[in-house]
Structures are given as structure tokens and as C-alpha cells.
Amino acid sequence: MKIRRWMIVVAGILVIFSAVWSSIERRKMVAQTSSRYVVLMERFDQKIIASKRAEKKMYPASMTKIMTTLVALEQITDEEKTVEMPNEIVAAAKNQGASTAGFSGGDTVTIRDLVYGIMLPSGAECCYRIGKYLDGSEQKFVEQMNRKAEELGMKHTHFSNMTGLHAEDHYTTAKDMALLLDHALKNKRFRKIFTSMTYRTSPGKAFPSGRILYSTLFQYRDQLKLNNGDYLGGKTGYTSEAGLCLASFAKVNGKEYVLITAGADGDHETKPYHVMDAGKIFQRLSETAEK
């Protein structure tokens, strides 16, 4: 009996030690990141593996376009339908200093072109054109974005525009963004777009063979290679108020994870600290899971 009790005690100690060690390893994953807001979440059960300031208010910048794309896809019934890109929409995006996909006023584009233009090159003109096409205006479309956020339990999120341009009443948390991305990836069309690095648009007058749109992550694809997994996709964002931001998605040791690394210092001219953080966290996750 004494031996059996001793074995039970030892087993209990080992369980406690394992839990403590696991907690230490999780803290290490995010402790040295440049990103001020971090959430690493296991997909489907939404278990948070590691986090830093997960529920603190932050600005999402162009990670906003995850919601823009999801809400659009849930309404679109014909991706082959063509529409014209108005001059005033292109001018508005440029005047705001927003990132664009490169479409010109007068271009005829498909709805599919617009959706890929939102997600890959982060095109503001594509956001505005989709909003006008589906709901008549950006304001009406944003109302749907906020309804969707409420539906998903994003309790600390409010959108005031489709693009992520800075506004005090346009905010979220890293945890809310992780919840959004986890849900969005359940949509097959969204997942296909989110995991694409390039896309060829439909032919037009200026580009008879179409033109190639590149993901904002295309230039970093070599930095995101994992030893024991696959980096599958992501959406970057940046404003001076939000810092460098990234919502990303990877499969490590057979499991899928979403990761938010946001609020990193720097800009488009510095090292991509948000991307570097993601690479380090996913790599450490891989190494920890192997132990």
C-alpha cells in the first residue's frame, strides 16, 4: 500500500511539474517579442497557448480587412460579375494615403478581383468598391462588420471603417482578432484567399493577360519557413498608431494555430518585427511540442 501511495504522489508531482514547465515555456514564447500584443491560439477549440496583453485595447490597422473580406464573402453570390472602378474611389484611397491594389479609374474588374485585392495587396480602393457594390456605401458595410463582431463574441472591438485607417473609435484586442481569424478560416473561400501569395486578375484593356497581385507577405516568405510545420498565410497591417501588425496562420506538428503579433515598433522602412516575432513563436512552438 505504501508503494502504491508513493507512486501516486510521484505521479502527482510529475503532473504539477509538467504543468509548471509548460507554463514557463509558453511565457518564453512571447516574452522577448517586439510586438506589444500577442495571442497564439489553437484552432477549433480556441485554446490560448501563449499571450501578452491579449485583452488590452489596440488598433488593428489593415488586419481590419480580415473582417471586410469575410463579411463581403458572406454576401457575394457571383464572383464573376464585373463592375467598373470609379475614378473618385481611386482618388479617395490615394488622398487618404491608404495602401492600394493598383487599380485605375475606369478599370473593369470582377468581384473576385476586388476580394483578392483587399486581402493580398491590402487595397483600399477594393474595399470601397465592394462596400458600394454590396451595401451602397462604406458606412452601411461597416454596420455589418460590427454586427458580425458582436455575433462572434468580439466584446472589445468596434469598427468605423473598412480599411483600418486610424480612428479612435476603430479598435480591437489581440484576442478578438484571433477569434475572428479562427472563425474566418472556416469559410472555404476565405481560407483559399488568405493562404494565397499571388493572384492573377481577369484580363483588361491595360493588362490583356491580367496582372499579378502580390500578398504583402510575399517578400517575407523565406523568413516564415518552419522546421516542423508550414506557414500557411497572413494579413499584415501598419499605421503609426497601431505599429506593425500581423494576423497569421500555421500548421505545426499536425495542429493548426492562429497568431496575432501586433503593436511592434517600426514601419515599412525598418525590419519586419511583427513577421520576425511570428516566425520565432511558431518555431518555438514546434520545438516545444517535440519535447
Side-chain angles (χ1 to χ4, degrees):
M1 288 293 291
K2 288 183 178 180
I3 294 175
R4 186 176 178 183
R5 287 175 184 170
W6 175 246
M7 290 176 66
I8 293 172
V9 170
V10 170
I13 292 172
L14 289 173
V15 168
I16 294 171
F17 178 79
S18 177
V20 171
W21 179 256
S22 178
S23 177
I24 292 171
E25 288 296 307
R26 289 196 297 269
R27 285 199 294 270
K28 283 182 181 179
M29 283 184 191
V30 300
Q32 301 302 317
T33 57
S34 299
S35 301
R36 293 191 292 276
Y37 311 96
V38 180
V39 166
L40 174 64
M41 178 183 288
E42 189 172 323
R43 288 214 57 221
F44 306 114
D45 66 1
Q46 299 181 339
K47 176 183 177 183
I48 294 179
I49 307 301
S51 66
K52 180 168 73 172
R53 304 186 76 199
E55 298 187 74
K56 296 293 185 181
K57 179 181 176 180
M58 54 169 259
Y59 300 114
S62 283
M63 293 191 299
T64 298
K65 290 164 184 153
I66 294 171
M67 180 64 90
T68 306
T69 302
L70 177 63
V71 170
L73 288 173
E74 290 181 342
Q75 296 183 70
I76 292 167
T77 56
D78 182 5
E79 293 184 358
E80 298 299 327
K81 181 176 175 59
T82 59
V83 295
E84 184 176 296
M85 180 65 74
N87 286 303
E88 59 269 24
I89 282 182
V90 175
K94 290 181 178 178
N95 290 339
Q96 291 172 330
S99 56
T100 66
F103 291 112
S104 300
D107 283 351
T108 298
V109 296
T110 66
I111 298 302
R112 180 182 293 112
D113 292 341
L114 292 176
V115 177
Y116 273 90
I118 292 170
M119 184 57 66
L120 271 62
S122 208
E125 81 274 35
C126 299
C127 293
Y128 300 145
R129 189 64 185 92
I130 279 283
K132 184 176 181 179
Y133 168 70
L134 291 173
D135 292 295
S137 69
E138 180 182 14
Q139 181 181 358
K140 291 292 185 182
F141 191 95
V142 170
E143 289 174 5
Q144 294 214 53
M145 292 169 65
N146 283 315
R147 282 196 290 271
K148 189 67 179 181
E150 184 176 358
E151 176 190 321
L152 296 179
M154 299 170 66
K155 298 178 181 179
H156 306 290
T157 294
H158 182 267
F159 298 109
S160 64
N161 60 68
M162 296 176 67
T163 61
L165 287 173
H166 181 70
E168 287 300 319
D169 62 344
H170 189 93
Y171 56 84
T172 188
T173 66
K175 182 180 178 181
D176 277 3
M177 289 305 298
L179 290 171
L180 169 60
L181 181 53
D182 178 58
H183 175 82
L185 287 166
K186 296 174 185 176
N187 183 302
K188 292 181 180 180
R189 288 190 294 171
F190 178 93
R191 184 178 176 120
K192 182 178 180 180
I193 296 166
F194 195 77
T195 56
S196 298
M197 282 290 176
T198 62
Y199 167 76
R200 183 181 294 275
T201 67
S202 54
K205 291 181 180 179
F207 299 92
S209 299
R211 53 192 292 264
I212 304 296
L213 302 181
Y214 292 91
S215 167
T216 53
L217 279 174
F218 185 83
Q219 61 185 315
Y220 307 125
R221 61 195 185 283
D222 290 338
Q223 297 181 36
L224 292 167
K225 291 181 178 178
L226 305 176
N227 292 337
N228 195 26
D230 295 297
Y231 184 87
L232 300 175
K235 180 72 195 77
T236 61
Y238 170 76
T239 64
S240 57
E241 296 85 358
L244 292 168
C245 304
L246 174 64
S248 54
F249 166 47
K251 177 177 278 190
V252 178
N253 295 313
K255 289 186 177 181
E256 292 184 356
Y257 299 87
V258 296
L259 172 63
I260 308 299
T261 47
D265 291 333
D267 54 38
H268 295 310
E269 304 302 319
T270 67
K271 291 182 179 180
Y273 297 110
H274 52 330
V275 177
M276 294 164 64
D277 284 343
K280 290 175 184 176
I281 291 171
F282 280 133
Q283 191 56 49
R284 175 155 282 199
L285 175 66
S286 172
E287 295 166 355
T288 301
E290 288 177 335
K291 295 177 181 179

